Amino acid sequence: MADTPVAVSGGWAPVAAGLLGTLAVAAALLDGTLAGRATGARSAMVRPVGEVARLLRQRRRTTVAADRLLWRVGGAGLLVMALMIVTVVPLGRWTLFDLDVGVVWVNALDVLAWAFVWLAGWGANSAYSLVGGYRFLAHGLAYELPLMFALVAPAVAASSLRVGEVAAAQQGLWFVVWMPVAFVVYCLGVVAMAVWGPFSPALGDDVAGGVTVELSGVDRLLFLAGRYALLAAGAAFAVPMFLGGGAGPLLPAWAWVLVKASVLLALLVWLRRRVPALRPDVFMEVGWLVLLPAVLAQDLLVAVLVIGS
């Protein structure tokens, strides 16, 4: 088994935040490029930069009887959540926090997405915004349990809830090779948490933008940045859980972590326009009748192999 990562000083936290921000910006630029190709716009790659400048100049709008505190907590929550997830993601030999229950830590954090997105919808005191929030909750009821059991599989295989030990247990064979169902379900969960692609009815045009309809200025910027950051954090966490951590030839371990996270992040961004939006009621059937039994079977198979080895 490879060496497990060591915890570094909290002074490295800005570096971790900077790396997460770089991945999120890269995702936004790639998304802008892909959107430009779809519409034929030539300057689409720099459109996210212009949008950031526009939102920074835009005045915050508010609605009648809005719960401003909870509304803004919901708007900024996804970004905070992404930052907290990367605190337990090893970058090669280093990690900010080597928690005994690192896997559970991330699993607990992903539930917060329910609260943050719903608060962003509820706090505005707007009908369309509230409908968007409830649409997200309906998706959450379908993806959360499969996501939780998807994270169980690598933890059982490594006999540990430490993220670093899970990564170290994959020397020779990445977990994604013999846990493909858990990996796919995990990626679906990340996409859903970020209200991305097929899980974007909460932001649908039919409800005038749903959760984001009343967000403006810095509030809207934080919410949008949180979605990209959450997508990046989810891709980064997949590296130690399923993609062998920093294992790889030639490059140092920290570089492999960034390469693997970037490739998976690019794939998730690309899928945004390749998969149609899923109605919450339809996805709920898929989640409970297909994904949950499939990932439970994956967990059972992993447990049997671990006991028999």
Side-chain angles (χ1 to χ4, degrees), residues 201-216:
L203 316 177
D205 293 336
D206 59 325
V207 285
V211 171
T212 59
V213 62
E214 304 294 351
L215 290 172
S216 59

Side-chain angles (χ1 to χ4, degrees), residues 205-249:
D205 293 336
D206 59 325
V207 285
V211 171
T212 59
V213 62
E214 304 294 351
L215 290 172
S216 59
V218 174
D219 295 328
R220 189 180 186 88
L221 177 60
L222 288 175
F223 186 82
L224 297 179
R227 293 176 64 211
Y228 286 110
L230 200 51
L231 211 59
F237 188 64
V239 174
M241 295 300 289
F242 294 100
L243 302 178

